[in-house]
Amino acid sequence: MAISDSVASLVTSEVDFDAEGRQTGFLRVPHSVNRSAYGWIPVPVVALKNGPGPTLLLIAGNHGDEYEGQIALTRLARNLACDDIRGRIILLTAANFPAAQAASRTSPIDAGNLNRSFPGDARGTPTQMIAHYIEAELMPMADYAVDLHSGGTSLFYPPTLLRGQGNSPDETKKLTLLQAAFDLPYSWVFTGPGGRKSTASTAMGAANRNGVVCVMAELGGGGCVTPDILYQTERGLRRVLHALDMLPGYTPDQTRGSRELNVLGSVYAYDSGLLEPLKGIADDVAVDEVVALIHHPDTPWKQADEVRSPYGGIVLCKRALGQVERGDAVFQIAQEFRASSHKGAGA
Ligand SMILES: [Zn+2]
């Protein structure tokens, strides 16, 4: 499995995960620098435990510029009473804390992208140490995990659940239960393999390698907080807790249903300039259709460049920024989910 499994984490937890009741504090990630020779980076952690039941690991701030999840988990950490729950909930509200503090996808300390850093390294950079702690210490405690993302600064997603198809009938049943409970308008179903032999460098890969039933969510983006998406995030989390029999007193409202998609690929810019999108979220796109124009105010006599889609389907995700360079994703195109197709994960 993970190469770093045999090396113990240098991260210490102020929280006793086995204790009953509410525990709050920090994961201390050692960080020895000029201004603090014996210092540590404080990754906030909250654990709620009330008797027997499953353990659910909730992660936000995996990418620091994705906000709905960070707010939703912060509110949940404050408002959930231990008496309300059954089992154990572990909340990381700002998993890559230096990135979250900088409102940045990656850590300003080591340029680490946490969701590309698993299984991590017990003796690595701060981001690698956080990844290792989540994979080697937290995931083994968990039965279920939910990792909350958004499009970050550069992209915008409608509320979308992400899941694998499961590697056993039992896992498939649990994944579809979580999808139905979260009840987001879209579900992106990965058609690549997951399971214990997953080589994915994401938190979902860490979950899969530990046998933890895991879903992700993409919740807005564009560097801002969208109140309706935040509402759907908070509603979904409580519905998930209820579906796992961890929040028995909650009465879920009526299920709205989720459109299952799988992603065909991204449409990329091949020119630099100012992007004029010609499509919006959920719009239909035909193969070779012009989906955006790239304008050149610096050379106004030059024709706008056309961006054509190599895929036919619907727009799942769009670029949130006006400026583009060659290599930037402009749209992500998806199709109605078909279990036989094979396209991998993202996010
Ligand atoms: Zn993310």
Side-chain angles (χ1 to χ4, degrees):
M1 228 180 79
I3 46 170
S4 46
D5 272 357
S6 55
V7 181
S9 179
L10 296 176
V11 177
T12 55
S13 174
E14 295 181 352
V15 161
D16 177 359
F17 295 105
D18 295 325
E20 293 288 318
R22 174 186 301 270
Q23 317 286 322
T24 61
F26 300 99
L27 305 175
R28 298 180 173 188
V29 182
H31 189 51
S32 180
V33 289
N34 286 342
R35 57 159 296 279
S36 186
Y38 298 163
W40 40 268
I41 295 165
V43 177
V45 59
V46 175
L48 305 170
K49 189 169 187 298
N50 186 20
T55 292
L56 170 64
L57 175 62
L58 298 174
I59 302 173
N62 181 335
H63 290 135
D65 60 346
E66 304 176 359
Y67 305 118
E68 277 79 357
Q70 295 186 50
I71 295 175
L73 293 195
T74 298
R75 188 171 279 144
L76 205 59
R78 274 202 322 266
N79 293 352
L80 269 187
C82 281
D83 288 345
D84 296 339
I85 72 158
R86 301 286 178 270
R88 177 169 59 175
I89 307 172
I90 300 170
L91 300 102
L92 297 180
T93 51
N96 196 354
F97 178 74
Q101 201 176 31
S104 166
R105 180 172 179 83
T106 55
S107 172
I109 293 176
D110 53 23
N113 179 340
L114 180 57
N115 218 34
R116 301 291 183 275
S117 298
F118 293 91
D121 183 345
R123 297 291 185 271
T125 65
T127 301
Q128 290 168 337
M129 280 194 277
I130 293 168
H132 177 268
Y133 188 84
I134 292 172
E135 172 135 3
E137 302 290 337
L138 295 182
M139 285 295 179
M141 297 182 207
D143 302 291
Y144 299 92
V146 179
D147 184 26
L148 300 171
H149 289 256
S150 82
T153 304
S154 69
L155 299 173
F156 191 92
Y157 276 93
T160 305
L161 181 119
L162 287 71
R163 68 169 176 92
Q165 294 182 72
N167 281 277
S168 66
D170 179 59
E171 191 189 5
T172 301
K173 189 174 153 195
K174 288 171 174 169
L175 288 167
T176 50
L177 174 86
L178 293 177
Q179 174 183 308
F182 217 128
D183 199 32
L184 298 175
Y186 297 92
S187 291
W188 169 2
V189 184
F190 298 150
T191 48
R196 297 234 177 217
K197 291 181 178 167
S198 171
T199 56
S201 55
T202 59
M204 184 178 278
N208 286 336
R209 287 186 286 276
N210 279 283
V212 176
V213 177
C214 178
V215 297
M216 292 173 59
E218 296 286 357
L219 303 154
C224 68
V225 176
T226 306
D228 174 60
I229 296 179
L230 177 58
Y231 167 77
Q232 293 193 55
T233 307
E234 295 180 333
R235 169 181 177 267
L237 288 171
R238 286 186 181 263
R239 289 171 56 97
V240 163
L241 285 168
H242 182 264
L244 296 175
D245 291 326
M246 297 178 74
L247 196 61
Y250 178 75
T251 306
D253 60 2
Q254 191 158 13
T255 301
R256 299 169 181 174
S258 191
R259 183 176 178 184
E260 290 188 336
L261 304 170
N262 66 279
V263 166
L264 295 164
S266 295
V267 181
Y268 288 99
Y270 274 82
D271 300 279
S272 300
L274 293 187
L275 182 75
E276 179 189 357
L278 302 176
K279 297 287 182 179
I281 301 281
D283 282 351
D284 290 323
V285 171
V287 173
D288 208 36
E289 186 176 356
V290 177
V291 292
L293 298 172
I294 298 175
H295 296 280
H296 307 287
D298 57 344
T299 319
W301 48 90
K302 186 180 169 190
Q303 281 286 345
D305 295 296
E306 294 178 341
V307 180
R308 292 175 183 272
S309 175
Y311 310 105
I314 73 156
V315 173
L316 176 60
C317 152
K318 65 177 183 181
R319 182 167 174 82
L321 300 176
Q323 204 171 40
V324 281
E325 294 179 13
R326 182 174 298 154
D328 288 338
V330 175
F331 293 109
Q332 195 174 43
I333 308 296
Q335 65 181 357
E336 303 301 330
F337 171 62
R338 288 192 286 272
S340 59
S341 49
H342 288 279
K343 273 283 174 183

